[in-house]
Amino acid sequence: MNEDQGISIDDIIEFIKNEQEIYGPFSASITKELNESLSEVIRDPQPGEESQKKDSSSEENIPNPEMSLNDQLQACKSIEELRSFCEKAEELKTDLEGTNLVFGVGNPRADLMLIGEAPGEQEDIQGEPFVGAAGQLLNKILAAINFTRDDIYIANILKHRPPGNRNPDPDERERSLPYLLRQIELIQPKIILCLGKVSGTTLLNRDEALKNLRGKFYPFHNTELTVTYHPAALLRNAKWKRPVWEDVQTVRKRYDELGCKP
Ligand code: URA
């Protein structure tokens, strides 16, 4: 019942029946006009209109700056929305001015996620993690266990380059961590492989030597996390080759055991 006007659905049906009795059934021309005006309303959006629609819905998803950081991160419902949010996040920056965001790369639905330390010069220039010398070695390591970069997702603890490629300091790691955790939550990998001590100790929140951290899978936010040496360490010292080889083979085995797919 429409309380304002005192008209119910039954009243409307009764009214239409009466109209049909008086004027006869609706004519074909009226039906055609009705169809045309209805199809006008429900037709597929035209290209220009489509993008307007997308634009307005993505505008709706810009996190409200009045909200807490956690709520703003939760308001990012896709990896692309999170990327746009990170583009504007001053707190992700280091004290090196004019750096580019190095958000992450690969398959956003990957079951395996690799997390390094921080972008270097090449990564900063290209806006993509692991594209310099360490990245070339990483590609070879991945190929040796039958992965390409497109099968997995790669990110870093920091999303901006620190000056002089120094290690990320504790404050930078702390500021970046909530963004990375949301990224992990959106990708939902089944396995995380941390590359290097900075990555492993930051995510596991324990300050231990890498040799003690590696060789185990740790439960971590609905995934399993393991740690190995950073490819840059291998470039400096070949003695880490064997442990890395063992670690990545273990990761491949676990990936297959869990029925993971690219
Ligand atoms: N080292 C890292 O940890 N990450 C990169 O993206 C490049 C080098």
Side-chain angles (χ1 to χ4, degrees), residues 102 115-121 123 128-135 154-158 195 199 230-232:
V102 181
I115 302 179
E117 183 177 307
E121 185 184 18
E123 288 76 21
E128 184 174 324
F130 284 99
V131 289
I154 312 176
N156 280 310
I157 297 290
L158 296 198
L195 301 171
S199 173
H230 195 287

